[in-house]
Amino acid sequence: MNRTSSLLAAAVLGIGLTLTACGSNSTSQQAADGAGKVGVILPDTKSSVRWETKDRPALEEAFKAAGVDYTIQNAEGSADTMATIADGMIADGVTVLAIVNLDSDSGASIQEKAAAQGVKTIDYDRLTLGGSADVYVSFDNTKVGELQGQGLADCLGGRPANVVFLNGSPTDNNATLFSSGAHSVLDAIPSITNVGEQAVPDWDNDKAVTIFEQLYTAADGKVDGVYAANDGLAGSVISILEKNRRAGQVPVTGQDATVEGLQNILAGSQCMSVYKSATEEAGALAKVAIALAKGETPQTSATSRDDTGNRDVPSVLLTPVSITKDNVNVVFDDGGQSRDEVCTGQFAAMCSAAGV
Ligand code: BGC
């Protein structure tokens, strides 16, 4: 090769590497590890900020650290888009496919197709009922609900209370588990009365505003506490409480320890959130994916019941942590959020007051 053509070859290679670097790691590492290529499909950008701001970077870090070739895409709330992305990833040669399903039926058909092509599948965060995932990686979601229920009970401090329940998407098995965990705690407290309950389709924060306002009005405004399944829904609830000059007086639960959720906790308009480390969950997924890609049996520590598919799915279930104003530093110390991002503007003084 003369100098010009070798320079040209280097340039072409360089471009190739730059392009692959956008969506995935360089394929040379694949050969080194024999770990195949892992595809991950995230659900959307709106049901929680966690997927793009926390899960994606944590997954990238975990796969890079393990030297595994990967590609991560987002279905933007469309089950059809998720199916198309899955087809593309399978055609592209992924050996392991992890999905956060948008509903169990569409998730199950993606997994069935994948399995037919010899691709191993993982349920990431949400269990696909009637699906065929080899492994489920998530948190103990019933425990998440119990923490939310206990958090609300603690914030109410034993006083008689009318509580409204704003559940997550009816198509998300997690939402069912969160709600049943919360009910197991709150229904056992005689001084608490359920005065309204509804699920929010697709965890849609805008719909949540309308739904909560209707429940609030139907209860004649006699609402003393709100179970909101995540921080986004909590934000919707707080906007209506603000409109009615009740924000800060009515404890509201949440989940995900988002920037907004933590700021609401510091401001006193939200009583608690649940921290689920993305680093831990992504790390667990990477470990399971690598084992599956190598044809090994991944280490699991539990099983999750899928009544639709009538099977117990081998699972890794991590431990969630309840967050209130008193222990908000847990999230910062663990790197779950940065103090700089939360303690801006009007929140700086609140952070100091809370010892952040
Ligand atoms: C996740 C929550 C998230 C919600 C909305 C659930 O399946 O476990 O962390 O807030 O979906 O995206």
Side-chain angles (χ1 to χ4, degrees):
M1 214 187 272
N2 66 31
R3 190 163 181 274
T4 320
S5 56
S6 63
L7 275 179
L8 197 71
V12 169
L13 263 178
I15 289 165
L17 285 178
T18 316
L19 285 178
T20 30
C22 294
S24 62
N25 234 342
S26 105
T27 38
S28 54
Q29 284 167 342
Q30 174 185 345
D33 291 295
K37 181 172 179 174
V38 182
V40 183
I41 315 181
L42 300 173
D44 59 57
T45 55
K46 291 188 180 146
S47 68
S48 173
V49 291
R50 63 166 282 186
W51 305 114
E52 285 299 326
T53 65
K54 297 293 159 194
D55 291 81
R56 181 188 287 271
L59 288 163
E60 283 172 351
E61 206 172 305
F63 290 129
K64 276 182 193 155
V68 175
D69 195 17
Y70 66 90
T71 171
I72 303 169
Q73 292 190 54
N74 192 309
E76 302 288 353
S78 157
D80 287 345
T81 304
M82 189 177 289
T84 308
I85 294 172
D87 287 345
M89 286 183 176
I90 294 168
D92 199 33
V94 298
T95 48
V96 179
L97 177 63
I99 61 167
V100 183
N101 76 51
L102 284 163
D103 63 86
S104 282
D105 287 352
S106 63
S109 39
I110 288 172
Q111 292 173 345
E112 204 181 316
K113 256 188 168 178
Q117 305 281 325
V119 173
K120 300 282 182 193
T121 60
I122 303 171
D123 273 328
Y124 183 59
D125 201 71
R126 299 176 180 167
L127 183 65
T128 300
L129 301 177
S132 54
D134 294 280
V135 180
Y136 176 42
V137 175
S138 192
F139 281 81
D140 178 339
N141 293 305
T142 305
K143 179 83 191 163
V144 170
E146 289 167 2
L147 294 178
Q148 293 173 317
Q150 193 55 52
L152 185 56
D154 291 347
C155 289
L156 288 167
R159 60 180 191 266
N162 290 342
V163 169
V164 164
F165 291 78
L166 203 56
N167 297 317
S169 176
T171 58
D172 180 351
N173 182 58
N174 284 349
T176 310
L177 300 176
F178 301 151
S179 182
S180 75
H183 273 293
S184 72
V185 175
L186 296 169
D187 295 359
I189 302 174
S191 58
I192 288 179
T193 311
N194 180 343
V195 293
E197 174 153 15
Q198 215 165 303
V200 179
D202 305 323
W203 297 88
D204 185 310
N205 291 192
D206 297 330
K207 285 187 188 144
V209 172
T210 314
I211 291 171
F212 179 70
E213 187 158 40
Q214 281 164 359
L215 292 169
Y216 186 85
T217 309
D220 258 341
K222 295 192 178 91
V223 175
D224 308 300
V226 183
Y227 166 81
N230 76 359
D231 286 356
L233 300 187
S236 306
V237 169
I238 291 165
S239 73
I240 294 303
L241 292 175
E242 269 165 0
K243 198 168 140 187
N244 288 279
R245 298 183 208 290
R246 301 280 313 283
Q249 298 161 19
V250 179
V252 181
T253 65
Q255 172 182 187
D256 288 343
T258 62
V259 171
E260 187 202 0
L262 295 178
Q263 288 176 335
N264 286 338
I265 287 175
L266 289 161
S269 54
Q270 187 173 324
C271 96
M272 61 87 66
S273 187
V274 178
Y275 174 54
K276 304 186 298 184
S277 161
T279 307
E280 248 191 277
E281 197 175 6
L285 175 68
K287 259 198 193 161
V288 167
I290 291 163
L292 285 174
K294 288 182 173 167
E296 295 163 4
T297 306
Q299 265 194 9
T300 52
S301 49
T303 57
S304 301
R305 184 67 196 161
D306 168 7
D307 277 330
T308 309
N310 194 22
R311 67 182 194 124
D312 295 309
V313 186
S315 308
V316 178
L317 299 180
L318 305 164
T319 307
V321 184
S322 180
I323 299 297
T324 63
K325 205 187 275 194
D326 291 341
N327 71 343
V328 70
N329 275 319
V330 166
V331 182
F332 300 122
D333 293 344
D334 196 52
Q337 297 291 356
S338 79
R339 287 180 171 86
D340 285 355
E341 213 178 325
V342 172
C343 304
T344 53
Q346 53 165 322
F347 298 102
M350 298 176 199
C351 283
S352 312
V356 173

